[in-house]
Amino acid sequence: MKSEPDAFSIDDLASQPDQTTHWEGVRNYQARNYMRDEMKIGDGVLFYHSNAKPLAVAGTARVVSESYPDPSQFDPDSDYFDEKATEKNPRWQLVDVKLVKKFDKPVLRDAIKNEPELADMLLIKKGSRLSIQPVTAAEWNKIHEMAGVDPE
DNA sequence: GCCAACGTTGGC
DNA sequence: GCCAACGTTGGC
């Protein structure tokens, strides 16, 4: 899951109550579908800092809820308000995410690009802007190895 | 700041 | 249903 640290960083996640947040504001159907259809409680999450210095996987988190409607779509004062969404017919779903570990040494995008085993990782594919992307078990393990952290 | 890639909108 | 125009993302 990508986040711009100016908007919401891994440190922000760490400072949330119970180190848990609602992953609000996703307004892309494909990304929504991953949360709605693919993410299950207990799934691991790589927390990636986009539009940042450095660009890096900053740590890991875990999915701790089923998907449910993103409340911000109903809030006229929210940047994420969607006038076409109704309580009966919500458009946008989210999951709750809880911090697992902030990496002592973030895994830099540059390092990922230089790692042959991660050549197929969606994150570094050209034009891959999706804010929520699937990660394979091999990629998950490799990122942990590069971070010097045992995968859970 | 630039711009390529991608997604969405809306007229037809 | 097509597609041009526009807006956004996000690395560089």
Side-chain angles (χ1 to χ4, degrees):
Chain A
M1 295 173 105
K2 300 185 195 174
S3 185
E4 301 192 17
D6 285 348
F8 191 83
S9 71
I10 197 162
D11 290 322
D12 293 326
L13 180 58
S15 64
Q16 297 296 308
D18 202 28
Q19 301 190 325
T20 299
T21 193
H22 320 296
W23 201 264
E24 69 172 21
V26 170
R27 293 295 179 266
N28 171 284
Y29 289 105
Q30 209 179 339
R32 177 204 67 184
N33 292 349
Y34 278 123
M35 286 198 288
R36 188 189 60 192
D37 305 332
E38 306 294 334
M39 296 175 94
K40 303 296 176 208
I41 291 175
D43 282 353
V45 172
L46 298 177
F47 194 113
Y48 177 74
H49 280 169
S50 64
N51 259 326
K53 283 187 178 176
L55 292 167
V57 176
T60 59
R62 179 183 299 119
V63 176
V64 293
S65 79
E66 305 286 347
S67 64
Y68 60 95
D70 180 343
S72 66
Q73 69 192 307
F74 309 125
D75 176 3
D77 295 328
S78 168
D79 287 343
Y80 302 125
F81 178 64
D82 183 340
E83 58 182 7
K84 293 179 183 161
T86 62
E87 306 261 356
K88 255 192 170 170
N89 222 335
R91 275 194 176 188
W92 306 109
Q93 304 277 122
L94 54 67
V95 295
D96 290 352
V97 163
K98 181 182 169 80
L99 180 69
V100 171
K101 182 170 181 55
K102 179 185 176 181
F103 290 156
D104 293 330
K105 284 199 335 182
V107 178
L108 302 181
R109 181 182 183 85
D110 281 343
I112 294 172
K113 285 196 293 190
N114 288 328
E115 173 51 61
E117 288 179 44
L118 298 178
D120 289 333
M121 202 166 170
L122 281 178
L123 183 68
I124 56 169
K125 290 270 170 80
K126 190 177 180 182
S128 143
R129 309 185 309 180
L130 207 56
S131 66
I132 298 179
Q133 307 177 346
V135 173
T136 68
E139 290 162 353
W140 173 263
N141 289 333
K142 187 66 188 177
I143 294 289
H144 278 79
E145 181 190 319
M146 293 164 78
V149 172
D150 287 334
E152 305 227 335

